[in-house]
């Protein structure tokens, strides 16, 4: 046990105080004895009950010195809400969808104009904004929200608008998405393939969704404009090939109105770093 040496002549200790040799040990006392403090025996102070830690025996009582936290007690003093506490707010936002635009972050007033002009028929109640480009659209009734979710794809300046139903556990952060709708222009498609064959040709790029009106009505013939589903980061061919009914090879040029690629430099979407 550590001992602090005190001179019997009551000479104050300082850095130059001589440490007694073996023959002087009878003249030494524990500092605790000099100050009248009972000796703390750590071996006797250790609790015999597991998980309660060290105790200091003082005046016949066990005084905790360090408490070991067990799993059952770890969160007993943390504020916790019940489902009833958040029921009202959850019910309020349950009529909402979470949205963001891949490759764009327009101002609040532009987004608000877009929502009320394009989605007004669904009964929009309000548009709420976050600073990270996410906006929430609340509808007056839940069936109106469901009607929007089932109405197909929406684009903002040819960029996909990601629309997801709100839920109370959702993280309001942008995701990269997985499958996104993209309009493509197929140049050089012979007119005899503008009917049902056009969807198969578009399938060489992605999953066919629909033709635009001018293509479906065969009014604009300089290119066929088709909406397809593409995977983020997939290969984007600029030419596709197929064989006609006589076995002749036909080449079709493909242009993308928005490219589902991530920019390494800015972490945005719709362009590469060049």
């Amino acid at each position: 046990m550590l001992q602090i040496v005190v001179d019997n002549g009551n000479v104050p200790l300082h850095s130059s105080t001589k440490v007694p040799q073996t023959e002087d040990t009878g003249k030494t006392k524990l500092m605790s004895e000099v100050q009248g403090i009972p000796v703390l025996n750590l071996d006797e102070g250790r609790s015999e009950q597991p998980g309660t830690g060290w105790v200091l025996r003082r005046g016949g009582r066990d005084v905790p010195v360090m408490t070991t936290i067990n799993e059952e007690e770890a969160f007993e003093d943390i504020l916790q809400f019940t489902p009833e506490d958040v029921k009202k707010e959850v019910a309020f936002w349950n009529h909402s969808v979470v949205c963001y635009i891949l490759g764009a972050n327009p101002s609040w007033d532009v987004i608000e104009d877009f929502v009320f002009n394009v989605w007004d028929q669904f009964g929009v109640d309000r548009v709420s904004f976050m600073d990270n480009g996410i906006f929430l659209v609340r509808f007056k009734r839940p069936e109106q929200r469901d009607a929007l979710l089932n109405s197909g794809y929406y684009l903002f300046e040819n960029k996909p608008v990601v629309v997801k139903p709100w839920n109370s556990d959702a993280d309001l952060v942008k995701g990269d998405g997985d499958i996104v709708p993209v309009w493509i222009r197929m140049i050089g498609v012979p007119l005899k393939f503008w009917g049902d064959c056009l969807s198969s040709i578009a399938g060489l790029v992605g999953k066919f969704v629909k033709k635009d009106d001018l293509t479906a009505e065969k009014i604009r013939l300089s290119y066929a404009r088709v909406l397809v589903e593409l995977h983020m980061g997939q290969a984007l061919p600029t030419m596709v090939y197929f064989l006609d009914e006589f076995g002749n090879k036909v080449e079709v040029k493909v242009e993308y109105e928005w490219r589902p690629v991530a920019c390494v430099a800015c972490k945005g979407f719709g362009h590469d770093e060049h």
Side-chain angles (χ1 to χ4, degrees):
M1 182 177 292
L2 178 64
Q3 293 181 331
I4 301 178
V5 181
V6 181
D7 190 282
N8 282 339
N10 295 323
V11 179
L13 281 174
H14 52 75
S15 61
S16 62
T17 301
K18 178 182 177 181
V19 177
Q21 303 302 317
T22 305
E23 61 270 17
D24 296 325
T25 55
K27 300 179 182 181
T28 64
K29 294 183 178 181
L30 292 174
M31 177 64 78
S32 57
E33 295 179 23
V34 174
Q35 298 177 346
I37 300 175
V39 176
L40 172 61
N41 189 330
L42 294 180
D43 291 332
E44 295 179 357
R46 185 187 296 273
S47 170
E48 296 179 357
Q49 298 179 356
T52 57
W54 293 87
V55 297
L56 172 65
R57 298 192 183 281
R58 178 177 299 165
R61 294 180 301 146
D62 290 347
V63 181
V65 175
M66 179 179 67
T67 301
T68 301
I69 298 177
N70 58 50
E71 294 182 359
E72 294 179 357
E73 299 173 345
F75 299 100
E76 63 180 3
D77 294 330
I78 292 181
L79 175 65
Q80 180 178 5
F81 293 103
T82 67
E84 187 65 27
D85 295 325
V86 298
K87 179 179 179 180
K88 182 177 180 181
E89 287 302 312
V90 170
F92 178 86
W93 291 109
N94 264 343
H95 299 182
S96 306
V97 293
V98 180
C99 311
Y100 57 89
I101 301 169
L102 283 176
N105 191 15
S107 61
W108 291 5
D109 57 330
V110 171
I111 290 177
E112 191 170 47
D113 287 344
F114 168 80
V115 170
F116 279 103
N117 288 333
V118 179
W119 293 347
D120 186 57
Q121 72 270 23
F122 295 106
V124 174
D125 175 57
R126 72 187 64 196
V127 184
S128 303
F129 303 91
M130 300 187 69
D131 290 336
N132 58 357
I134 288 179
F135 56 99
L136 278 75
V137 181
R138 184 180 185 272
F139 299 88
K140 297 173 183 177
R141 298 191 305 274
E143 58 268 24
Q144 295 171 323
R145 175 208 58 193
D146 295 341
L148 171 72
L149 291 171
N150 295 324
S151 64
Y153 292 113
Y154 286 90
L155 301 172
F156 175 86
E157 296 180 351
N158 292 325
K159 299 176 178 63
V161 180
V162 177
V163 182
K164 300 178 180 180
W166 179 88
N167 68 78
S168 58
D169 297 322
D171 292 327
L172 298 182
V173 295
K174 287 185 177 182
D176 295 350
D178 181 19
I179 299 176
V180 293
V182 176
W183 283 104
I184 63 172
R185 300 178 181 183
M186 299 189 298
I187 303 171
V189 179
L191 292 182
K192 60 184 176 181
F193 297 109
W194 276 57
D196 296 336
C197 296
L198 198 59
S199 61
S200 297
I201 300 172
L204 298 173
V205 180
K207 182 180 178 181
F208 172 79
V209 178
K210 66 177 182 178
K211 308 172 187 177
D212 77 345
D213 292 341
L214 295 179
T215 300
E217 297 297 328
K218 302 179 179 65
I219 296 175
R220 181 199 56 239
L221 301 178
S222 54
Y223 59 86
R225 186 171 182 259
V226 179
L227 185 67
V228 295
E229 290 181 346
L230 301 177
H231 290 270
M232 293 295 296
Q234 76 166 68
L236 303 176
T238 56
M239 297 288 293
V240 293
Y241 311 91
F242 62 91
L243 301 179
D244 66 11
E245 69 272 29
F246 303 110
N248 300 315
K249 183 179 180 181
V250 179
E251 299 181 357
V252 174
K253 182 179 180 181
V254 181
E255 295 180 348
Y256 301 85
E257 296 188 0
W258 182 79
R259 299 174 66 85
V261 295
C263 175
V264 177
C266 74
K267 308 302 181 183
F269 297 94
H271 60 276
D272 55 31
E273 59 182 324
H274 302 295

